[in-house]
Amino acid sequence: MFKIVHAEFIAPGIKRFEVEAPRIARKHKAGQFVILRLHDRGERIPITIENSNPERGTINIVVQSVGKTTHLLNALNAGDNILDVVGPLGKPSEIALFGNVVVIGGGVGVAMAYPTAAALKLAGNHVAAIIGARNKELVILEREMRQVSDELTITTDDGSYAEKGLVTDKLRRLIDNGTRIDLVLAVGPIPMMRAVAELTRKDHIRTIVSLNPIMIDGTGMCGGCRVLVDGKSQFACVDGPEFDGHLVDFAVLTQRNSTYRQEEERSMEEFRRHLEPRAADSPDDVGCAHGGRG
Amino acid sequence: MTTTVNPSPNPLKLRERIKLPRQHMPEQPADERSRNFTEVNLGYSAELARQEALRCLECEKPTCMDKCPVGVKVREFVRLIVAGDFLVAAAKIREDNVLPAITGRVCPQEDHCEGACKLCKKGESLGIGYLERFVADYEQRMGTIRLPAAPPTGKRVAVVGSGPSGLTVAGDLVQKGHMVRVFEALHELGGVLVYGIPEFRLPKEIVREQIDQLRAMGVEFETDVVVGKTVTIDELMEEEHYDAVFIGTGAGLPLFMNIPGEHLNGVYSANEFLTRINLMKAYQFPAYDQPMVDLRGKDVAVIGGGNTALDAIRSALRLGARKAYVMYRRSEAEMPARAEEVRHARQEGIEFRMLTSPIEFLSDGKGWLGGLRCLSMQLGEPDASGRRRPVPIPGSEFELPLSVAVIAIGTSANPVIQSTTTGLATDTRGYIQADTLTQRTSRKGVFAGGDIVTGTATVILAMAAGRRSAKSIHEYLTTDQW
């Protein structure tokens, strides 16, 4: 059992939890994630670690309500417990002095990009951060990202806050202006990561993406999280989750993540039917495999 | 517990024993069991067990025991069954095997004890596995005669992985008075016994009971710990003050075939397919949250010829598959699966497509598997494994319509511990190097055994490695000699 010591909604349907997990807090590095399970009939889902505090023995996770499990999770509050939390999983982000780095976070992906941006900044890089959201309300971690970047651009799809447009619009401007870019990190919905990778491909700008395939054990046993990278099977849980964006087959990732679309919808429907009249936040499906990292 | 040979309680003359037929294991009828996950074998009654035990020739040189990887004293425990001392028989097995209810069910006895039984020369071997299962289950119902535990030594041992090798190490060492803590990456204990082997072959209740027994003996367990990620071996030894560590992390990343179409939806590794079913109970979706593909009315094939392959395809059948094929590139004689599983699978209606090798997964045009392109094979000259090498027959290509394919062709080494532990030598394939007798690794105080050393093998071979490790760890802890 892992105790929640703090919980707050940071945007509609997006909640940040501080969870007691001393072993994980001690070992977490930027770019890693946890897998959690809520109850004894629950599924295992991967969730982003946004931050860790080894002294307090806690980790912060950021969760967007997408499917049944994330809705259940986001109904929990301080003092409640999460049955299983395992991690930190995946390889940490590569942190080095690259020079000029652009860190792009889309939607709840900002939570995964944030610790890497912080580590890259600490390593002496010039960090230009771009965070994108559908609208003003869904912009998360603005203050945190501002603290760890040299410049921060915010884009909203509907223009309700900051720049109207997509994160790639800003990235394209940077490239067109001849800004030297040594590394791009993109974390967010698959179409966003794919678009970023397409944009940087012709200029051979090294581009890292953090993938969120279907995953069960997360330890290199089941092979469910296999992704096609440079024509070869790689396992996101032990070889990733970060890969060279120019080598990732995003079409295969999108197609495999749709495997359980029907089941996920059914699960959510049944969950809604059993839900108390108390209305749950229910943003549209954002195309995430199973309510996990997105 | 002594090992002295008591006078035989068996009233029959040897020639009378030889004439007795092997007692059949009562089992669920094939047409019923192929639609449920309840155990296939129902177990001997006490009467059947005694009847079967009477067949034992009580050989002066018990080859059955010699061929048992953990050295179970077969002759002694069978004698105790004849005498009706079932609990003492269970304790006798437990001297060498801490998981008898499990090995009695899943051990390939024909390759070990039963294969060496002298009765084979005259007919069928003694049903040693069935007898082992009987006494283990009897003990479970009636209560354990606990083996006397040694006084505490003050030594601490960390066991990484709660599969068959780890549980064996834990059971053996706790009886020697050492403090043992088992770390498990998953949320449930048992390793392959819970995520890999299906309920119909090894009920999870049995695994839980065996683990509860270890807990009662003093073994501590901690789930949700991925050693190498959550805590490293170095940290366990230096900061958590474990005097020795045993690594038994088991099978690693599933192997894929690297043929076109392998990324289509509906193509699974056996590990994922079985984990969804066994560990996550996805077939009870939506009562359980983890989903799986609906197999009702679909045609399913498993590729491979081992126990894992049969577990996967028999599960698919139980989940409503219309056609369920086993595809194996060699012939049935080369199949590594237990003979009993092959027989059961055939009775249940699994179709065996031997000498068949897939070359391409075909799409249905919507991102899902629609069929399989295959080649027929014939057996050529023996290869490095001593088995005849399958060679493609030119022009034999054919296509099979298929909705789901499960790949069960083995695993490769999981890299997590090797990449985070200082001074731990691995072989060219990434498996941990360990001495075959002492199971010592290149790192002082660290031992390893099971699939993470040998690659894919069996429960009993992992347990045997666990036994050797426990003996060797005990020696190390008591002598401090490396």
Side-chain angles (χ1 to χ4, degrees):
Chain A
M1 294 285 243
F2 296 78
K3 193 175 173 193
I4 297 170
V5 295
H6 186 77
E8 57 171 338
F9 277 103
I10 56 174
I14 302 177
K15 202 165 186 176
R16 174 159 56 189
F17 297 91
E18 184 180 358
V19 183
E20 266 176 20
R23 284 191 186 277
I24 304 174
R26 223 180 127 214
K27 300 293 289 182
H28 164 247
K29 290 199 167 70
Q32 294 184 299
F33 60 94
V34 289
I35 283 187
L36 54 79
R37 196 174 72 119
L38 296 181
H39 58 93
D40 62 3
R41 293 181 165 205
E43 62 181 334
R44 294 169 66 96
I45 61 164
I47 292 285
T48 299
I49 307 176
E50 181 251 343
N51 211 342
S52 52
N53 190 331
E55 290 76 37
R56 287 165 59 89
T58 60
I59 56 169
N60 287 358
I61 57 174
V62 172
V63 182
Q64 181 167 33
S65 307
V66 178
K68 176 183 172 185
T69 300
T70 45
H71 274 95
L72 279 174
L73 181 53
N74 281 353
L76 298 182
N77 285 304
D80 292 336
N81 288 297
I82 301 175
L83 183 57
D84 296 287
V85 181
V86 64
L89 301 172
K91 284 185 180 165
S93 304
E94 185 191 348
I95 304 300
L97 182 56
F98 296 100
N100 283 335
V101 176
V102 178
V103 176
I104 304 173
V108 77
V110 179
M112 190 75 165
Y114 162 65
T116 306
L120 287 168
K121 175 78 181 134
L122 201 63
N125 294 286
H126 179 275
V127 175
I130 309 172
I131 62 183
R134 284 208 305 268
N135 58 47
K136 180 181 180 179
E137 286 194 309
L138 291 172
V139 174
I140 60 167
L141 305 178
E142 178 183 349
R143 186 174 51 84
E144 288 85 345
M145 284 298 274
R146 201 175 292 285
Q147 279 169 1
V148 301
S149 56
D150 295 282
E151 46 187 291
L152 174 70
T153 306
I154 297 170
T155 64
T156 50
D157 297 3
D158 65 357
S160 56
Y161 186 56
E163 292 184 22
K164 182 176 187 330
L166 303 172
V167 291
T168 39
D169 297 335
K170 171 68 182 175
L171 178 63
R172 185 178 292 115
R173 281 204 301 279
L174 287 176
I175 294 172
D176 291 349
N177 292 344
T179 313
R180 201 185 110 208
I181 303 173
D182 299 295
L183 178 77
V184 172
L185 171 79
V187 192
I190 296 171
M192 184 208 92
M193 294 190 286
R194 184 184 208 165
V196 167
E198 283 316 313
L199 200 57
T200 56
R201 189 188 300 276
K202 68 174 187 309
D203 294 312
H204 307 289
I205 301 169
R206 191 172 164 210
T207 300
I208 303 295
V209 293
S210 179
L211 304 186
N212 58 342
I214 288 171
M215 196 175 280
I216 308 180
D217 69 298
T219 67
M221 181 274 284
C222 85
C225 67
R226 69 187 193 273
V227 289
L228 199 55
V229 180
D230 201 15
K232 293 189 203 70
S233 277
Q234 299 264 294
F235 301 95
C237 69
V238 292
D239 301 321
E242 293 184 1
F243 294 99
D244 183 336
H246 296 152
L247 301 179
V248 169
D249 189 328
F250 288 103
V252 160
L253 179 63
T254 306
Q255 163 224 306
R256 287 185 55 79
N257 273 4
S258 74
T259 304
Y260 300 107
R261 183 61 44 86
Q262 277 179 15
E263 285 78 4
E264 284 152 14
E265 282 164 10
R266 182 172 162 209
S267 198
M268 195 59 216
E269 261 167 44
E270 304 215 353
F271 175 65
R272 275 188 221 278
R273 222 176 301 136
H274 290 107
L275 211 58
E276 309 287 25
R278 180 173 57 90
D281 301 292
S282 50
D284 305 331
D285 191 306
V286 294
C288 179
H290 35 64
R293 308 192 294 113
Chain B
M1 205 60 57
T2 61
T3 56
T4 45
V5 176
N6 304 310
S8 172
N10 195 329
L12 302 180
K13 296 197 170 65
L14 287 186
R15 63 169 191 280
E16 293 172 320
R17 300 184 196 181
I18 289 167
K19 282 184 196 144
L20 292 174
R22 176 165 160 141
Q23 297 299 313
H24 287 294
M25 166 61 76
E27 49 191 49
Q28 270 197 79
D31 56 342
E32 271 175 37
R33 70 181 191 240
S34 63
R35 294 192 300 271
N36 67 47
F37 273 85
T38 313
E39 198 176 6
V40 172
N41 285 343
L42 302 173
Y44 276 164
S45 62
E47 190 44 42
L48 277 177
R50 289 186 65 179
Q51 283 297 316
E52 181 62 19
L54 284 170
R55 297 177 64 227
C56 180
L57 300 177
E58 301 177 82
C59 306
E60 206 165 310
K61 287 189 183 140
T63 44
C64 49
M65 176 179 150
D66 297 342
K67 281 291 283 251
C68 174
V70 296
V72 167
K73 299 174 199 82
V74 176
R75 185 182 58 193
E76 277 70 23
F77 97 74
V78 173
R79 260 182 197 155
L80 287 161
I81 295 176
V82 173
D85 291 333
F86 302 143
L87 287 179
V88 186
K92 179 60 67 184
I93 297 175
R94 206 170 278 286
E95 287 177 12
D96 304 292
N97 174 357
V98 295
L99 308 170
I102 293 168
T103 49
R105 289 173 164 82
V106 304
C107 195
Q109 286 90 4
E110 67 268 25
D111 296 336
H112 302 293
C113 56
E114 294 184 16
C117 176
K118 297 267 164 53
L119 282 171
C120 286
K121 289 180 185 159
K122 303 280 176 188
E124 284 190 281
S125 76
L126 184 64
I128 299 169
Y130 295 163
L131 291 172
E132 179 177 56
R133 172 197 159 130
F134 166 75
V135 289
D137 288 357
Y138 184 88
E139 179 186 43
Q140 198 57 55
R141 287 196 308 276
M142 306 306 287
T144 308
I145 296 181
R146 194 142 306 145
L147 301 173
T153 61
K155 299 286 186 184
R156 291 160 58 81
V157 181
V159 171
V160 185
S162 64
S165 71
L167 294 178
T168 301
V169 170
D172 281 4
L173 288 178
V174 82
Q175 289 185 59
K176 301 276 192 198
H178 305 300
M179 177 268 166
V180 183
R181 190 172 181 88
V182 179
F183 296 92
E184 168 57 47
L186 292 172
H187 57 262
E188 213 167 301
L189 297 168
V192 71
L193 306 171
V194 297
Y195 77 73
I197 304 177
E199 188 75 18
F200 59 82
R201 206 150 73 80
L202 179 63
K204 301 312 143 214
E205 191 59 32
I206 301 281
V207 181
R208 272 192 288 276
E209 283 163 356
Q210 299 265 294
I211 287 167
D212 285 345
Q213 286 204 17
L214 293 174
R215 203 178 265 125
M217 288 159 69
V219 177
E220 296 174 10
F221 292 95
E222 185 173 345
T223 52
D224 294 330
V225 177
V226 183
V227 172
K229 292 282 187 192
T230 316
V231 63
T232 63
I233 302 268
D234 297 70
E235 288 162 349
L236 285 174
M237 299 187 86
E238 284 152 28
E239 294 167 27
E240 300 193 19
H241 310 295
Y242 285 95
D243 300 290
V245 175
F246 171 77
I247 305 170
T249 47
L253 300 162
L255 290 174
F256 287 90
M257 307 192 68
N258 296 316
I259 60 176
E262 205 155 42
H263 286 261
L264 289 166
N265 296 354
V267 180
Y268 288 90
S269 76
N271 278 6
E272 181 187 354
F273 189 75
L274 288 169
T275 298
R276 283 185 187 274
I277 293 170
N278 299 328
L279 180 70
M280 306 309 298
K281 304 275 181 269
Y283 60 92
Q284 295 182 52
F285 177 90
Y288 282 72
D289 289 339
Q290 197 94 38
M292 72 176 293
V293 62
D294 187 351
L295 298 173
R296 285 172 296 180
K298 304 242 174 83
D299 293 351
V300 182
V302 68
I303 297 147
N307 287 317
T308 306
L310 290 187
D311 285 346
I313 200 65
R314 292 171 71 199
S315 297
L317 189 73
R318 283 158 171 77
L319 295 175
R322 187 179 61 171
K323 293 237 178 208
Y325 306 102
V326 175
M327 268 184 201
Y328 184 50
R329 64 199 180 106
R330 301 175 193 260
S331 75
E332 193 173 324
E334 286 85 21
M335 274 181 78
R338 288 178 84 220
E340 185 178 45
E341 309 311 330
V342 176
R343 180 166 58 78
H344 281 162
R346 203 181 286 284
Q347 289 168 350
E348 290 164 13
I350 304 288
E351 228 177 279
F352 284 68
R353 294 284 188 106
M354 299 293 102
L355 292 163
T356 303
S357 192
I359 50 173
E360 184 180 358
F361 295 100
L362 304 167
S363 170
D364 71 345
K366 296 175 211 142
W368 284 78
L369 182 69
L372 195 56
R373 180 169 293 139
C374 307
L375 270 181
S376 295
M377 315 292 278
Q378 59 191 358
L379 292 179
E381 295 301 309
D383 63 12
S385 72
R387 297 176 298 179
R388 293 178 64 192
R389 185 193 305 275
V391 190
I393 300 172
S396 66
E397 265 187 54
F398 66 96
E399 285 178 15
L400 190 71
L402 213 57
S403 301
V404 171
V406 181
I407 302 169
I409 57 169
T411 57
S412 64
N414 183 311
V416 170
I417 286 189
Q418 296 86 317
S419 63
T420 54
T421 309
T422 50
L424 191 65
T426 54
D427 67 15
T428 49
R429 299 173 304 160
Y431 291 104
I432 297 174
Q433 284 188 325
D435 184 90
T436 49
L437 281 180
T438 65
Q439 305 297 135
R440 288 180 182 192
T441 67
S442 59
R443 171 78 190 270
K444 188 181 177 190
V446 179
F447 302 75
D451 284 6
I452 192 61
V453 172
T454 57
T456 315
T458 61
V459 167
I460 191 66
L461 291 176
M463 288 175 60
R467 277 231 94 191
R468 290 193 298 274
S469 300
K471 185 166 171 281
S472 163
I473 292 169
H474 179 64
E475 268 169 32
Y476 169 65
L477 292 178
T478 48
T479 63
D480 218 20
Q481 300 282 309
W482 183 257

